[in-house]
mmCIF file of all heavy atoms in Angstrom:
data_model
loop_
_atom_site.group_PDB
_atom_site.id
_atom_site.type_symbol
_atom_site.label_atom_id
_atom_site.label_comp_id
_atom_site.label_asym_id
_atom_site.label_seq_id
_atom_site.Cartn_x
_atom_site.Cartn_y
_atom_site.Cartn_z
ATOM 1 N N GLN A 10 18.034 8.943 1.903
ATOM 2 C CA GLN A 10 17.447 8.817 0.573
ATOM 3 C C GLN A 10 16.707 7.488 0.415
ATOM 4 O O GLN A 10 15.626 7.435 -0.194
ATOM 5 C CB GLN A 10 18.539 8.956 -0.481
ATOM 6 C CG GLN A 10 19.116 10.363 -0.582
ATOM 7 C CD GLN A 10 20.326 10.429 -1.497
ATOM 8 O OE1 GLN A 10 20.742 9.436 -2.080
ATOM 9 N NE2 GLN A 10 20.901 11.614 -1.621
ATOM 10 N N ILE A 11 17.281 6.407 0.969
ATOM 11 C CA ILE A 11 16.603 5.107 0.913
ATOM 12 C C ILE A 11 15.299 5.172 1.703
ATOM 13 O O ILE A 11 14.259 4.662 1.262
ATOM 14 C CB ILE A 11 17.519 3.989 1.452
ATOM 15 C CG1 ILE A 11 18.750 3.839 0.562
ATOM 16 C CG2 ILE A 11 16.759 2.662 1.543
ATOM 17 C CD1 ILE A 11 19.794 2.883 1.108
ATOM 18 N N ALA A 12 15.348 5.800 2.883
ATOM 19 C CA ALA A 12 14.143 5.934 3.703
ATOM 20 C C ALA A 12 13.052 6.691 2.948
ATOM 21 O O ALA A 12 11.870 6.324 3.002
ATOM 22 C CB ALA A 12 14.480 6.645 5.007
ATOM 23 N N THR A 13 13.444 7.740 2.234
ATOM 24 C CA THR A 13 12.475 8.536 1.478
ATOM 25 C C THR A 13 11.867 7.725 0.338
ATOM 26 O O THR A 13 10.648 7.754 0.113
ATOM 27 C CB THR A 13 13.155 9.803 0.923
ATOM 28 O OG1 THR A 13 13.652 10.580 2.023
ATOM 29 C CG2 THR A 13 12.183 10.634 0.112
ATOM 30 N N ARG A 14 12.708 6.990 -0.382
ATOM 31 C CA ARG A 14 12.186 6.166 -1.489
ATOM 32 C C ARG A 14 11.281 5.045 -0.956
ATOM 33 O O ARG A 14 10.264 4.713 -1.578
ATOM 34 C CB ARG A 14 13.342 5.589 -2.304
ATOM 35 C CG ARG A 14 14.060 6.611 -3.177
ATOM 36 C CD ARG A 14 14.988 5.949 -4.163
ATOM 37 N NE ARG A 14 16.112 5.290 -3.520
ATOM 38 C CZ ARG A 14 17.303 5.857 -3.307
ATOM 39 N NH1 ARG A 14 17.525 7.102 -3.704
ATOM 40 N NH2 ARG A 14 18.280 5.184 -2.725
ATOM 41 N N GLY A 15 11.652 4.477 0.180
ATOM 42 C CA GLY A 15 10.805 3.446 0.774
ATOM 43 C C GLY A 15 9.445 3.995 1.153
ATOM 44 O O GLY A 15 8.410 3.352 0.920
ATOM 45 N N TYR A 16 9.435 5.189 1.726
ATOM 46 C CA TYR A 16 8.163 5.825 2.098
ATOM 47 C C TYR A 16 7.307 6.091 0.873
ATOM 48 O O TYR A 16 6.098 5.820 0.861
ATOM 49 C CB TYR A 16 8.445 7.124 2.846
ATOM 50 C CG TYR A 16 7.200 7.928 3.141
ATOM 51 C CD1 TYR A 16 6.281 7.501 4.092
ATOM 52 C CD2 TYR A 16 6.938 9.102 2.431
ATOM 53 C CE1 TYR A 16 5.120 8.230 4.345
ATOM 54 C CE2 TYR A 16 5.791 9.841 2.680
ATOM 55 C CZ TYR A 16 4.884 9.398 3.626
ATOM 56 O OH TYR A 16 3.741 10.107 3.871
ATOM 57 N N GLU A 17 7.929 6.618 -0.174
ATOM 58 C CA GLU A 17 7.181 6.917 -1.396
ATOM 59 C C GLU A 17 6.610 5.650 -2.018
ATOM 60 O O GLU A 17 5.515 5.665 -2.594
ATOM 61 C CB GLU A 17 8.091 7.650 -2.386
ATOM 62 C CG GLU A 17 8.447 9.067 -1.930
ATOM 63 C CD GLU A 17 9.515 9.721 -2.791
ATOM 64 O OE1 GLU A 17 10.137 8.998 -3.615
ATOM 65 O OE2 GLU A 17 9.754 10.929 -2.637
ATOM 66 N N TYR A 18 7.332 4.549 -1.888
ATOM 67 C CA TYR A 18 6.839 3.276 -2.417
ATOM 68 C C TYR A 18 5.633 2.777 -1.624
ATOM 69 O O TYR A 18 4.647 2.299 -2.197
ATOM 70 C CB TYR A 18 7.955 2.226 -2.373
ATOM 71 C CG TYR A 18 7.466 0.821 -2.665
ATOM 72 C CD1 TYR A 18 7.309 0.385 -3.975
ATOM 73 C CD2 TYR A 18 7.148 -0.056 -1.632
ATOM 74 C CE1 TYR A 18 6.839 -0.891 -4.258
ATOM 75 C CE2 TYR A 18 6.678 -1.340 -1.901
ATOM 76 C CZ TYR A 18 6.530 -1.750 -3.211
ATOM 77 O OH TYR A 18 6.054 -3.015 -3.479
ATOM 78 N N ALA A 19 5.705 2.885 -0.300
ATOM 79 C CA ALA A 19 4.722 2.212 0.560
ATOM 80 C C ALA A 19 3.504 3.041 0.903
ATOM 81 O O ALA A 19 2.449 2.483 1.220
ATOM 82 C CB ALA A 19 5.407 1.769 1.860
ATOM 83 N N ARG A 20 3.586 4.358 0.850
ATOM 84 C CA ARG A 20 2.565 5.205 1.477
ATOM 85 C C ARG A 20 1.160 5.007 0.914
ATOM 86 O O ARG A 20 0.172 5.111 1.652
ATOM 87 C CB ARG A 20 2.970 6.680 1.360
ATOM 88 C CG ARG A 20 3.031 7.202 -0.067
ATOM 89 C CD ARG A 20 3.546 8.629 -0.125
ATOM 90 N NE ARG A 20 3.713 9.047 -1.519
ATOM 91 C CZ ARG A 20 4.311 10.187 -1.856
ATOM 92 N NH1 ARG A 20 4.783 10.998 -0.905
ATOM 93 N NH2 ARG A 20 4.440 10.496 -3.129
ATOM 94 N N ASP A 21 1.050 4.714 -0.387
ATOM 95 C CA ASP A 21 -0.270 4.619 -1.003
ATOM 96 C C ASP A 21 -0.700 3.191 -1.302
ATOM 97 O O ASP A 21 -1.842 2.970 -1.726
ATOM 98 C CB ASP A 21 -0.300 5.428 -2.307
ATOM 99 C CG ASP A 21 -0.082 6.914 -2.075
ATOM 100 O OD1 ASP A 21 -0.571 7.423 -1.047
ATOM 101 O OD2 ASP A 21 0.591 7.544 -2.903
ATOM 102 N N THR A 22 0.189 2.215 -1.096
ATOM 103 C CA THR A 22 -0.134 0.854 -1.533
ATOM 104 C C THR A 22 0.083 -0.227 -0.481
ATOM 105 O O THR A 22 -0.406 -1.341 -0.657
ATOM 106 C CB THR A 22 0.713 0.478 -2.765
ATOM 107 O OG1 THR A 22 2.114 0.569 -2.430
ATOM 108 C CG2 THR A 22 0.407 1.394 -3.945
ATOM 109 N N GLN A 23 0.806 0.071 0.603
ATOM 110 C CA GLN A 23 1.198 -1.002 1.517
ATOM 111 C C GLN A 23 0.660 -0.788 2.938
ATOM 112 O O GLN A 23 1.280 -1.205 3.911
ATOM 113 C CB GLN A 23 2.733 -1.136 1.552
ATOM 114 C CG GLN A 23 3.378 -1.291 0.189
ATOM 115 C CD GLN A 23 2.845 -2.468 -0.615
ATOM 116 O OE1 GLN A 23 2.362 -3.453 -0.054
ATOM 117 N NE2 GLN A 23 2.914 -2.385 -1.936
ATOM 118 N N THR A 24 -0.488 -0.145 3.054
ATOM 119 C CA THR A 24 -1.140 0.026 4.355
ATOM 120 C C THR A 24 -2.227 -1.034 4.524
ATOM 121 O O THR A 24 -2.666 -1.667 3.557
ATOM 122 C CB THR A 24 -1.785 1.416 4.469
ATOM 123 O OG1 THR A 24 -2.874 1.493 3.527
ATOM 124 C CG2 THR A 24 -0.771 2.516 4.195
ATOM 125 N N TRP A 25 -2.712 -1.195 5.754
ATOM 126 C CA TRP A 25 -3.797 -2.142 6.004
ATOM 127 C C TRP A 25 -5.106 -1.662 5.391
ATOM 128 O O TRP A 25 -5.953 -2.467 4.996
ATOM 129 C CB TRP A 25 -3.947 -2.381 7.511
ATOM 130 C CG TRP A 25 -2.887 -3.302 8.018
ATOM 131 C CD1 TRP A 25 -1.812 -2.984 8.780
ATOM 132 C CD2 TRP A 25 -2.791 -4.715 7.769
ATOM 133 N NE1 TRP A 25 -1.037 -4.100 9.017
ATOM 134 C CE2 TRP A 25 -1.623 -5.172 8.415
ATOM 135 C CE3 TRP A 25 -3.571 -5.621 7.061
ATOM 136 C CZ2 TRP A 25 -1.227 -6.510 8.373
ATOM 137 C CZ3 TRP A 25 -3.179 -6.948 7.020
ATOM 138 C CH2 TRP A 25 -2.018 -7.382 7.665
ATOM 139 N N GLN A 26 -5.272 -0.345 5.303
ATOM 140 C CA GLN A 26 -6.460 0.178 4.630
ATOM 141 C C GLN A 26 -6.448 -0.241 3.162
ATOM 142 O O GLN A 26 -7.490 -0.586 2.588
ATOM 143 C CB GLN A 26 -6.502 1.702 4.763
ATOM 144 C CG GLN A 26 -6.768 2.204 6.169
ATOM 145 C CD GLN A 26 -5.520 2.201 7.059
ATOM 146 O OE1 GLN A 26 -4.414 1.912 6.602
ATOM 147 N NE2 GLN A 26 -5.701 2.523 8.323
ATOM 148 N N CYS A 27 -5.255 -0.230 2.559
ATOM 149 C CA CYS A 27 -5.116 -0.683 1.180
ATOM 150 C C CYS A 27 -5.442 -2.168 1.065
ATOM 151 O O CYS A 27 -6.112 -2.594 0.106
ATOM 152 C CB CYS A 27 -3.701 -0.410 0.686
ATOM 153 S SG CYS A 27 -3.362 -1.034 -0.978
ATOM 154 N N ARG A 28 -5.010 -2.971 2.041
ATOM 155 C CA ARG A 28 -5.301 -4.408 1.996
ATOM 156 C C ARG A 28 -6.815 -4.662 2.086
ATOM 157 O O ARG A 28 -7.337 -5.565 1.434
ATOM 158 C CB ARG A 28 -4.584 -5.127 3.131
ATOM 159 C CG ARG A 28 -3.076 -5.148 3.026
ATOM 160 C CD ARG A 28 -2.587 -5.983 1.846
ATOM 161 N NE ARG A 28 -1.129 -5.948 1.808
ATOM 162 C CZ ARG A 28 -0.415 -5.099 1.071
ATOM 163 N NH1 ARG A 28 -1.032 -4.226 0.269
ATOM 164 N NH2 ARG A 28 0.897 -5.108 1.109
ATOM 165 N N ALA A 29 -7.511 -3.879 2.902
ATOM 166 C CA ALA A 29 -8.966 -4.033 2.997
ATOM 167 C C ALA A 29 -9.603 -3.783 1.637
ATOM 168 O O ALA A 29 -10.501 -4.516 1.208
ATOM 169 C CB ALA A 29 -9.532 -3.069 4.040
ATOM 170 N N LYS A 30 -9.121 -2.766 0.948
ATOM 171 C CA LYS A 30 -9.682 -2.451 -0.370
ATOM 172 C C LYS A 30 -9.340 -3.531 -1.388
ATOM 173 O O LYS A 30 -10.163 -3.888 -2.238
ATOM 174 C CB LYS A 30 -9.182 -1.070 -0.809
ATOM 175 C CG LYS A 30 -9.728 0.055 0.074
ATOM 176 C CD LYS A 30 -9.003 1.366 -0.113
ATOM 177 C CE LYS A 30 -9.474 2.383 0.938
ATOM 178 N NZ LYS A 30 -8.723 3.647 0.879
ATOM 179 N N GLN A 31 -8.117 -4.078 -1.300
ATOM 180 C CA GLN A 31 -7.757 -5.186 -2.189
ATOM 181 C C GLN A 31 -8.674 -6.387 -1.943
ATOM 182 O O GLN A 31 -9.148 -7.031 -2.894
ATOM 183 C CB GLN A 31 -6.304 -5.602 -1.942
ATOM 184 C CG GLN A 31 -5.261 -4.670 -2.504
ATOM 185 C CD GLN A 31 -3.857 -5.157 -2.185
ATOM 186 O OE1 GLN A 31 -3.250 -4.748 -1.201
ATOM 187 N NE2 GLN A 31 -3.353 -6.045 -3.008
ATOM 188 N N LEU A 32 -8.906 -6.691 -0.670
ATOM 189 C CA LEU A 32 -9.766 -7.819 -0.330
ATOM 190 C C LEU A 32 -11.181 -7.602 -0.863
ATOM 191 O O LEU A 32 -11.775 -8.503 -1.475
ATOM 192 C CB LEU A 32 -9.788 -8.020 1.189
ATOM 193 C CG LEU A 32 -10.709 -9.116 1.737
ATOM 194 C CD1 LEU A 32 -10.425 -10.462 1.081
ATOM 195 C CD2 LEU A 32 -10.564 -9.219 3.258
ATOM 196 N N ALA A 33 -11.711 -6.402 -0.662
ATOM 197 C CA ALA A 33 -13.086 -6.123 -1.073
ATOM 198 C C ALA A 33 -13.242 -6.048 -2.578
ATOM 199 O O ALA A 33 -14.166 -6.628 -3.156
ATOM 200 C CB ALA A 33 -13.562 -4.821 -0.426
ATOM 201 N N LEU A 34 -12.332 -5.317 -3.228
ATOM 202 C CA LEU A 34 -12.532 -4.984 -4.634
ATOM 203 C C LEU A 34 -11.922 -5.988 -5.602
ATOM 204 O O LEU A 34 -12.301 -6.029 -6.779
ATOM 205 C CB LEU A 34 -11.960 -3.585 -4.909
ATOM 206 C CG LEU A 34 -12.535 -2.464 -4.032
ATOM 207 C CD1 LEU A 34 -11.869 -1.135 -4.339
ATOM 208 C CD2 LEU A 34 -14.047 -2.371 -4.210
ATOM 209 N N GLU A 35 -10.960 -6.777 -5.128
ATOM 210 C CA GLU A 35 -10.313 -7.750 -6.007
ATOM 211 C C GLU A 35 -10.695 -9.187 -5.682
ATOM 212 O O GLU A 35 -11.079 -9.955 -6.560
ATOM 213 C CB GLU A 35 -8.792 -7.592 -5.940
ATOM 214 C CG GLU A 35 -8.285 -6.222 -6.399
ATOM 215 C CD GLU A 35 -6.790 -6.041 -6.205
ATOM 216 O OE1 GLU A 35 -6.084 -7.053 -6.025
ATOM 217 O OE2 GLU A 35 -6.342 -4.878 -6.205
ATOM 218 N N ILE A 36 -10.639 -9.549 -4.387
ATOM 219 C CA ILE A 36 -10.877 -10.936 -4.017
ATOM 220 C C ILE A 36 -12.348 -11.217 -3.814
ATOM 221 O O ILE A 36 -12.931 -12.113 -4.423
ATOM 222 C CB ILE A 36 -10.059 -11.302 -2.758
ATOM 223 C CG1 ILE A 36 -8.559 -11.183 -3.080
ATOM 224 C CG2 ILE A 36 -10.413 -12.712 -2.264
ATOM 225 C CD1 ILE A 36 -7.648 -11.416 -1.890
ATOM 226 N N MET A 37 -13.010 -10.420 -2.953
ATOM 227 C CA MET A 37 -14.442 -10.635 -2.707
ATOM 228 C C MET A 37 -15.244 -10.460 -3.996
ATOM 229 O O MET A 37 -16.178 -11.217 -4.268
ATOM 230 C CB MET A 37 -14.951 -9.652 -1.649
ATOM 231 C CG MET A 37 -14.474 -9.937 -0.250
ATOM 232 S SD MET A 37 -15.161 -8.714 0.915
ATOM 233 C CE MET A 37 -14.515 -9.347 2.466
ATOM 234 N N ALA A 38 -14.864 -9.484 -4.784
ATOM 235 C CA ALA A 38 -15.618 -9.189 -6.006
ATOM 236 C C ALA A 38 -15.503 -10.324 -7.022
ATOM 237 O O ALA A 38 -16.373 -10.478 -7.880
ATOM 238 C CB ALA A 38 -15.134 -7.884 -6.611
#
């Protein structure tokens, strides 16, 4: 159950693709 909740937390927000978008849309902008 912890593994499932961890996955649900991370899957859409804690990937490197997400970091690229944060860098482009929040910091660079």
